[in-house]
Amino acid sequence: MKTSIPLVDLRAQYKSLRREIDAAIHRVIHASAFIGGREVEEFEAAFAKYCGTRFAVGVSSGTNAIVIALKALGLKPGEGVIVPSFTFIASAHAIMEAGLTPVVADVDPIRYTLDPESCERVLAKDRRAKKVRAILPVHLYGQPADMDALRSVARRHNLLLVEDAAQAHGARLAGRRAGSLGHAGCFSFYPSKNLGAYGDGGMIVTNDPKAAESAQRLRNHGRSSKTKSKYIHFSMGGNSRLDGLQAAILGVKLRHLDEWNERRRRAASVYTDLLQADRSVRTPVIAEKCQHVFHIYAVLVRNRDRVFNALRTNGVGAEIHYPVPVHLQPSLKACGYRRGDFPVSEMLSKYVLSLPLYPEITPAQIKRVVRLLKSAAAS
Ligand SMILES: *Cc1c(COP(=O)(O)O)cnc(C)c1O
């Protein structure tokens, strides 16, 4: 039997950085600065600089980054946030966890990100949209959403724009990084993301000093970085901190992110070259002015479930991101959406298939995946 090809290969990345990572881990243990401290502050500064924003606030996950960003921008319980129907469920659940209402809109059929026209339709016609205060576009699979058009929608309706950039570390739109394109940007450092920790972690980036200060308080018991008094609590806040070990590891990895993203783009173009002539497959489209970072390389394919099973049976770690759109999830039942409400998302959920992609994947591995996919799609 041939060796398997995983969806992502985190061990290959560790092997290439072992000395640097091990040194960073030992540094934290020797300093015993496990929560907060210098490593976190240094990584926040480096990440803000990388994204081109004034502030970065480290938190405990991407989900908590969204929850805290929405609260820090002043949204109040009962208000609504527009979210695409085709995304990882955390985008919608984070809105709900913040006490807000997810108001779902469809994605566009070319780049699979939030469709500005669907937002306008929802804002005009959907009674759930009365109290909408913000839009949460998701840079799905690593490609920036159409932020120029979404910014016009936001301006017209006086809404905030908060980016879910959990899949798009380093992606660019017209030269500007994902996360710096709205009022705040939210990142996840879940291990398999383009920039991944060795545990959970997340980050909020923003140019708004008040939102940054508020996020710092919300993540840490209402404490302020502006005073030294540990037991004065300026506002309500929980515990959603980024820890020192994760910050030190992420600081090492950040220096390699652009190179890894470049390798992901090259691997993606190998896939696309091999697949684009095949009529049963639709390859990803890179939109104008976008630098895609291919967190996920997803194709649309006929007989998706059969192809998926054939790849799995042959040791290829294919995956489906995502088989059920947000508006049809049991967890959103109370919102009252129905099948047929968002046809593009429903179509995508039937046909998308993610193929193995990571910076270290080889052309030979890609060729093998493509060979198996083509024969399964044709059978
Ligand atoms: C991973 C992810 C999140 C959640 O991040 P966690 O760190 O797992 O909480 C949110 N939104 C999207 C689009 C994601 O891919």
Side-chain angles (χ1 to χ4, degrees), residues 32-329:
S32 288
F34 296 112
I35 302 290
R38 228 181 91 186
E39 299 284 349
V40 173
E41 284 166 21
E42 283 179 7
F43 176 60
E44 286 174 337
F47 197 72
K49 184 162 180 246
Y50 179 83
C51 292
T53 57
R54 285 179 68 194
F55 307 101
V57 180
V59 292
S60 53
S61 72
T63 305
N64 286 335
I66 300 170
V67 174
I68 289 176
L70 293 171
K71 289 183 181 173
L73 287 165
L75 273 80
K76 295 283 176 296
E79 293 179 332
V81 180
I82 296 185
V83 65
S85 188
F86 197 66
T87 177
F88 180 53
I89 193 63
S91 315
H93 282 176
I95 293 168
M96 293 156 81
E97 205 174 316
L100 305 159
T101 306
V103 176
V104 180
D106 212 348
V107 296
D108 86 69
I110 306 295
R111 70 214 265 174
Y112 315 152
T113 55
L114 189 59
D115 178 0
E117 285 171 23
S118 178
C119 291
E120 285 287 11
R121 274 197 300 279
V122 164
L123 285 162
K125 289 194 191 134
D126 189 333
R127 62 183 165 71
R128 302 175 191 91
K130 275 211 193 84
K131 290 189 183 169
V132 163
R133 283 272 324 275
I135 307 178
L136 184 78
V138 180
H139 305 314
L140 196 75
Y141 300 157
Q143 165 143 264
D146 185 357
M147 294 299 287
D148 294 337
L150 290 168
R151 199 172 296 114
S152 315
V153 176
R155 287 220 178 102
R156 221 164 11 248
H157 298 271
N158 198 21
L159 307 175
L160 296 164
L161 253 189
V162 182
E163 300 168 72
D164 180 342
Q167 301 189 355
H169 316 68
R172 291 180 197 260
L173 181 69
R176 288 169 63 196
R177 298 271 192 198
S180 72
L181 304 165
H183 295 93
C186 305
F187 290 88
S188 162
F189 302 125
Y190 183 79
S192 62
K193 302 283 158 108
N194 288 29
L195 181 61
Y198 286 1
D200 276 312
M203 188 76 86
I204 300 154
V205 297
T206 183
N207 290 317
D208 177 344
K210 270 170 67 186
E213 163 70 15
S214 176
Q216 283 175 349
R217 280 186 268 118
L218 284 161
R219 74 166 169 187
N220 189 19
H221 307 300
R223 286 175 183 142
S224 171
S225 65
K226 286 191 179 145
T227 105
K228 290 270 173 274
S229 48
K230 199 172 169 188
Y231 295 107
I232 303 294
H233 306 281
F234 293 89
S235 51
M236 164 59 196
N239 174 359
S240 304
R241 298 173 300 226
L242 179 66
D243 70 75
L245 275 170
Q246 302 310 337
I249 291 163
L250 289 164
V252 170
K253 288 186 162 199
L254 179 60
R255 299 197 284 270
H256 301 272
L257 179 59
D258 283 341
E259 190 209 321
W260 289 333
N261 283 343
E262 187 54 41
R263 288 208 231 160
R264 284 175 180 274
R265 275 192 289 275
R266 274 197 299 238
S269 76
V270 174
Y271 268 123
T272 295
D273 286 348
L274 294 169
L275 284 169
Q276 65 188 357
D278 195 307
R279 288 189 34 222
S280 54
V281 176
R282 205 196 125 186
T283 53
V285 175
I286 301 175
E288 213 183 315
K289 295 193 275 178
C290 279
Q291 196 176 45
H292 198 316
V293 292
F294 286 100
H295 172 56
I296 287 170
Y297 185 89
V299 294
L300 306 192
V301 61
R302 249 186 277 154
N303 305 321
R304 192 266 318 270
D305 291 337
R306 209 175 64 213
V307 174
F308 172 68
N309 288 327
L311 290 175
R312 287 289 192 115
T313 309
N314 284 284
V316 171
E319 190 50 89
I320 296 167
H321 302 102
Y322 301 90
V324 179
V326 168
H327 66 289
L328 299 178
Q329 290 287 351

